[in-house]
Amino acid sequence: MNSSNIHSSIRRMNVLNRVLQCRAINNNKLTLSIKYYSSNVSMHKTSAAESLRMESDVTKITIGDVTKTVKQAKNKENVPSKYLNTDALTQDWLSHLRWILQKDNMSQDVFLIGKPGSLRRSLAMSYLELTQREVEYICLSRDTTEADIKQRREIVNGTAIYYDQSAVRAAIEGRVLILEGIEKAERNVLPVLNNLLENREMHLEDGRFLVSASTYDKLLQEHGDTELSKWNLVRVSEDFRVLALGLPVPQYIGNPLDPPLRSRFQARNIPTPSYQDTLTMLTAEFPHINRDALTKLVSIERGETPASSSDRRGRQPTFSREVLQT
């Protein structure tokens, strides 16, 4: 066996080892640990879930074996709130959060794909609330144009003024840009999105040009800040991320993503929560409601009895109207 075959075998064994380690982490049910630190108060909570820790004003978040240091948001009004319920975190939900956290650490953009509904958006907002990240939001449709992504021109006192839109603000300020309905994006906006995702570059209508942080820093060392200002170059923050939400096409109506655009994302399927996970989340969200009533309510929604949720052989349940009045 020559040296090239030996190196190839070693690489394959290393990849297999990492895959097995990830499976072991996902199969282990660890404890949830959340710590809040302030100048006078220290709180600590534990429950049966995957490991999660939050510490002090400069927060460190750990889910399983993935850790991220969280910075304080400059504009807290742009941080999502009331999406994350730490008492209702299921293993599947924590697994999704851990995966997004891992991709965020690797400076990769994320594409969450799944069935229609608010589940993917709730997951994205929960992650941003957990990491205290500011958000910019764009809902793509057939009517979305380049101006909706880049800059919008308005006439003020006879003068044309350009106002930065969500994508530009997110890139400059280091926020997370959520693109919902990316399967609805028309062909004319795809090159803009692709260049922003791949190169972190964008030409603006007011003459400025967004460049990636690494390119800007290199030019800054060579030419200085004054020269870059003359060139109208604007630095894209290294904290800028794109989080896309979409539906699988052709199962649903929409435009299949072009391979160049699709390759810019790390994709993950977000399935519908199981019967037990749905019941757990509802119980934590509405603790004042009787658990039996919630069980029957979930059974109505799923079209199955609690006993049939595991064997899938139950009949359509029938419940009295008093269940919904509890």
Side-chain angles (χ1 to χ4, degrees):
M1 181 180 292
N2 54 33
S3 59
S4 61
N5 291 335
I6 294 176
H7 291 306
S8 178
S9 300
I10 293 176
R11 285 196 300 269
R12 292 176 181 175
M13 293 178 64
N14 290 334
V15 171
L16 179 60
N17 184 38
R18 289 196 297 268
V19 171
L20 294 177
Q21 287 179 354
C22 291
R23 288 184 177 179
I25 292 172
N26 293 333
N27 291 332
N28 290 337
K29 289 187 177 181
L30 307 177
T31 58
L32 167 63
S33 176
I34 303 179
K35 297 180 181 179
Y36 302 93
Y37 290 95
S38 64
S39 56
N40 299 320
V41 181
S42 177
M43 299 176 59
H44 179 262
K45 294 174 62 178
T46 59
S47 64
E50 200 166 347
S51 174
L52 174 67
R53 293 188 294 276
M54 301 177 63
E55 302 174 357
S56 74
D57 293 336
V58 179
T59 307
K60 283 188 178 180
I61 298 176
T62 301
I63 306 179
D65 61 334
V66 182
T67 302
K68 179 178 177 62
T69 301
V70 176
K71 303 176 183 178
Q72 285 294 322
K74 297 180 181 178
N75 303 293
K76 293 187 177 181
E77 65 273 11
N78 293 329
V79 178
S81 61
K82 298 183 179 180
Y83 284 94
L84 182 67
N85 186 353
T86 55
D87 295 327
L89 292 177
T90 62
Q91 286 292 306
D92 288 342
W93 200 257
L94 280 167
S95 177
H96 296 322
L97 291 176
R98 175 190 173 276
W99 183 84
I100 300 176
L101 187 68
Q102 185 181 44
K103 301 308 174 184
D104 192 3
N105 283 341
M106 300 171 67
S107 301
Q108 295 178 339
D109 298 320
V110 171
F111 180 28
L112 302 181
I113 188 171
K115 295 181 179 180
S118 61
L119 183 64
R120 290 162 292 124
R121 189 188 317 116
S122 298
L123 175 62
M125 293 298 185
S126 297
Y127 175 77
L128 299 181
E129 181 180 354
L130 175 66
T131 55
Q132 290 297 292
R133 297 292 302 275
E134 299 179 34
V135 62
E136 294 285 350
Y137 179 85
I138 297 179
C139 184
L140 297 173
S141 67
R142 296 177 59 185
D143 300 324
T144 303
T145 63
E146 286 190 22
D148 299 320
I149 298 176
K150 299 166 62 175
Q151 288 182 316
R152 186 177 297 277
R153 187 180 68 171
E154 296 185 8
I155 305 298
V156 179
N157 297 327
T159 304
I161 298 179
Y162 291 91
Y163 292 93
D164 294 341
Q165 297 303 296
S166 298
V168 178
R169 293 196 302 266
I172 296 175
E173 300 295 335
R175 298 170 182 169
V176 176
L177 175 64
I178 292 184
L179 297 174
E180 183 159 12
I182 194 170
E183 76 282 352
K184 302 175 184 177
E186 292 293 331
R187 300 292 180 181
N188 61 324
V189 301
L190 291 181
V192 179
L193 295 176
N194 185 55
N195 197 30
L196 181 64
L197 290 168
E198 180 182 8
N199 303 316
R200 293 297 195 256
E201 294 179 354
M202 178 184 290
H203 178 267
L204 303 181
E205 300 299 328
D206 61 0
R208 293 180 297 164
F209 188 80
L210 301 183
V211 295
S212 64
S214 58
T215 302
Y216 186 92
D217 294 341
K218 186 181 298 183
L219 292 174
L220 183 62
Q221 294 179 355
E222 297 177 358
H223 303 281
D225 184 63
T226 304
E227 196 69 20
L228 296 187
S229 298
K230 293 180 181 179
W231 295 346
N232 290 328
L233 298 183
V234 180
R235 185 179 188 271
V236 173
S237 174
E238 61 273 7
D239 296 327
F240 171 60
R241 300 287 185 275
V242 178
L243 207 162
L245 312 176
L247 304 177
V249 177
Q251 181 178 358
Y252 296 95
I253 298 176
N255 301 320
L257 294 184
D258 290 341
L261 180 62
R262 186 173 62 240
S263 64
R264 310 303 174 215
F265 292 108
Q266 298 296 315
R268 184 177 179 89
N269 179 43
I270 309 299
T272 303
S274 64
Y275 180 97
Q276 189 60 42
D277 286 347
T278 303
L279 182 59
T280 301
M281 289 187 288
L282 287 177
T283 303
E285 189 73 22
F286 306 100
H288 58 283
I289 298 180
N290 185 273
R291 183 178 175 85
D292 292 337
L294 291 177
T295 301
K296 294 177 181 179
L297 183 62
V298 176
S299 300
I300 293 174
E301 185 268 335
R302 294 301 176 98
E304 57 189 19
T305 62
S308 68
S309 61
S310 57
D311 57 22
R312 305 295 179 186
R313 292 192 297 269
R315 296 180 179 180
Q316 183 75 14
T318 56
F319 301 113
S320 62
R321 184 174 297 180
E322 287 75 9
V323 171
L324 302 179
Q325 298 176 352
T326 304

